[in-house]
């Protein structure tokens, strides 16, 4: 049984991870170091933390 409008296959977990990284990278305006700090939990050093929380929360 197919639900109308939901004919896409579920996303692969690796794809979901990649999408999240791209979203955080975009919020950090391409700054790889800031993105890495945020994604590894070292966000206290990252002044963009509040921006990320506002954008994603």
């Amino acid at each position: 049984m197919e639900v109308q409008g939901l004919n896409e296959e579920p996303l692969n977990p690796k794809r979901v991870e990649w999408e999240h990284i791209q979203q955080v990278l975009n919020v950090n305006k391409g700054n790889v170091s800031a993105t890495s700090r945020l994604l590894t939990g070292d966000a206290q050093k990252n002044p963009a933390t509040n921006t990320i929380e506002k954008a994603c929360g």
Side-chain angles (χ1 to χ4, degrees):
M1 179 178 164
E2 184 179 0
V3 178
Q4 287 185 2
L6 295 179
N7 54 4
E8 293 183 24
E9 293 185 30
L11 290 176
N12 178 312
K14 289 286 185 186
R15 175 66 183 208
V16 173
E17 179 183 41
W18 183 87
E19 295 276 350
H20 179 66
I21 292 168
Q22 296 307 307
Q23 191 174 40
V24 176
L25 189 59
N26 185 46
V27 170
N28 281 298
K29 299 177 180 154
N31 186 322
V32 175
S33 295
T35 299
S36 176
R37 283 192 298 270
L38 187 62
L39 292 173
T40 59
D42 198 10
Q44 292 176 348
K45 295 179 184 176
N46 187 352
T49 302
N50 291 333
T51 304
I52 297 290
E53 290 173 356
K54 288 177 187 174
C56 296

